[in-house]
Amino acid sequence: MPPTRRRVLAATGCSLASLAGCLTGVDSDGLELVTPEATPDDDWSEPDWRPADATPTADDVDATTVVATLEIPWDLTFVGDDAFITERDGGVRRFDADELAETDGTPLGPEDSELILEAEDLPDRAAPGEGGTLGIAVHPDYPDAPELFVYYTTDDDGTGNRVVRYDLETDDLETILDDIPGATTHNGGRIAFGPDGDLWVLTGDAEEPALTQDPGSRAGAVLRVTPDGDPVSEPVDWGDDGDPRTYTLGHRNPQGIGFTPQGTPMIAEHGPVARDELSILRPGGNYGWDLVRGGPDDPEYDGYDEHDEATPPVINTGPETTWAPSGLAFYDDDAIEAWENHVFVAGLTSNALYAVALRPADDGAENSGESDDDGTWYDEDWLDDRFEATAHTLFEGEFGRIRHVEPGPNGSLYVLTSNRDGRASDEFPLEDDDRIVRLDPA
């Protein structure tokens, strides 16, 4: 049986087997929202962690540039004594994590790192537009399993994206996930191991929105795989033509993923001209692109309240507010007391870092849509009914475009700037861009 459908495919003249190719370029009025045949149990439960209750400000931290003159850094991960970073137009570097944690004077430079992989070491690698060397993750058993995982854009009889596994001891490089659609923009690209030991992979719609409603296309999706790239033991069942690696679909261009202390995945994704979103994922969820993308008053897109098949986000910034979100992190350290248990989201076009407090939706707060010194509240009825959220804007205009935020040693947070990607404004890029900036408790 194919996945159940909300509208009739006959209207587009397509058969299910040819869905991905036949729907290319079809207007969203001709699409419908796909739903899975079966899903694993959603093990979400009320948070066992204290919701953030303090108001975060930039004065809570001291900012120090620890690395300068990088080439469009895209992702950063810490493990043991090592810090691995990707550069979109380059490869993979390794810095000493202690040096990043202790640098207070002259910033380090690329020459202070070890170049683990050069761009040409990645087979078929290409860097069209926003593509290139993107996400990085480290095997959860590192260093016993000395393996890096890298997501990058390819040009192999057409633009695509690929995930490879690289063994730091043997130099073996192996493709574990291929055939991810790619384009000049909307490549997704963030990858991360979750607390379950599975690898989570974010993919974009590759400028073909219709693909996001094809569960076999791997486009506009969150994929969940083993370290070998195989489906997990209890996958979402999308029918005979679906890919069991697909955990959720209907995404436009997700670039941030993190996990709550209970292990629940959350993502941030770019919207169309604002309408950016933060979502707490449900297995088998369909996040609506490009039919659904807002509330009941959105002038261009259907609202989540109009489609039972659509899974709503916790935050949708609406048609007037742009975050352009990229990387995110759940900060559960108490070193920066006022920041504990906030979700931090990097903002590109907005040139800001967002601190989001999540509260169980039944706490009685009634501040829908208000914006004041206490942040912007998101608790409209059409949003995810498990949480309400408050977002505070930090460092607006101070660092320029922020690509990623990552927790590091000693309770510090690290942000990556993206001011040499061709889209900076005002005084950016600065002479020492791009940078890694460490945020320490003040």
Side-chain angles (χ1 to χ4, degrees), residues 127-390:
E130 297 177 1
T133 310
L134 304 179
I136 190 167
V138 180
H139 195 287
D141 293 332
Y142 183 91
D144 293 334
E147 297 174 345
L148 302 182
F149 296 75
V150 182
Y151 183 113
Y152 68 96
T153 308
T154 60
D155 185 1
D156 181 18
D157 194 25
T159 303
N161 291 286
R162 178 181 299 167
V163 180
V164 295
R165 175 171 55 193
Y166 174 66
D167 191 305
L168 287 161
E169 292 184 353
T170 66
D171 285 335
D172 290 339
L173 191 144
E174 174 189 8
T175 297
I176 66 160
L177 196 60
D178 210 347
D179 300 321
I180 299 170
T184 303
T185 62
H186 296 194
N187 290 293
R190 198 77 57 185
I191 61 177
F193 277 97
D196 49 22
D198 296 330
L199 182 64
W200 298 72
V201 179
L202 306 188
T203 72
D205 70 6
E207 302 176 7
E208 297 190 44
L211 294 180
T212 73
Q213 296 301 323
D214 175 4
S217 77
R218 298 185 182 174
V222 176
L223 310 178
R224 182 184 184 185
V225 300
T226 70
D228 294 323
D230 297 324
V232 297
S233 59
E234 296 184 11
V236 177
D237 181 3
W238 297 99
D240 293 342
D241 295 291
D243 190 331
R245 297 165 181 82
T246 299
Y247 186 77
T248 61
L249 45 62
H251 300 288
R252 182 174 181 268
N253 191 24
Q255 289 189 345
I257 184 166
F259 301 87
T260 70
Q262 287 172 283
T264 304
M266 64 184 74
I267 67 164
E269 68 175 288
H270 293 267
V273 189
R275 302 174 178 89
D276 300 315
E277 293 187 343
L278 176 69
S279 299
I280 311 295
L281 297 184
R282 295 180 184 269
N286 186 330
Y287 289 80
W289 182 248
D290 73 330
L291 176 63
V292 179
R293 198 59 186 197
D297 299 323
D298 193 289
E300 296 183 41
Y301 293 91
D302 285 4
Y304 286 95
D305 59 330
E306 300 176 57
H307 298 274
D308 291 340
E309 298 86 351
T311 306
V314 173
I315 289 177
N316 178 295
T317 63
E320 305 297 329
T321 301
T322 296
W323 288 11
S326 192
L328 71 79
F330 192 103
Y331 183 76
D332 59 356
D333 201 296
D334 60 3
I336 310 171
E337 187 174 357
W339 290 22
E340 184 178 5
N341 289 342
H342 282 86
V343 181
F344 285 88
V345 183
L348 290 164
T349 303
S350 56
N351 289 1
L353 181 67
Y354 295 93
V356 177
L358 300 173
R359 306 176 305 278
D362 59 358
D363 74 349
E366 296 182 358
N367 295 277
S368 178
E370 294 183 5
S371 181
D372 53 29
D373 290 342
D374 291 327
T376 301
W377 292 69
Y378 297 91
D379 62 353
E380 290 90 344
D381 290 342
W382 55 272
L383 293 171
D384 190 325
D385 60 7
R386 295 172 293 175
F387 285 104
E388 296 166 352
T390 308

Side-chain angles (χ1 to χ4, degrees), residues 66-116:
V66 295
V67 182
T69 65
L70 291 167
E71 289 292 333
I72 317 177
W74 211 92
D75 203 2
L76 170 68
T77 187
F78 288 89
V79 56
D81 297 330
D82 298 321
F84 295 98
I85 186 169
T86 58
E87 293 175 290
R88 194 184 75 185
D89 288 353
V92 177
R93 296 184 181 276
R94 173 164 53 189
F95 284 91
D96 184 287
D98 288 339
E99 289 187 358
L100 296 188
E102 295 168 1
T103 296
D104 288 321
T106 303
L108 304 172
E111 67 277 6
D112 296 303
S113 70
E114 179 186 0
L115 189 56
I116 299 295

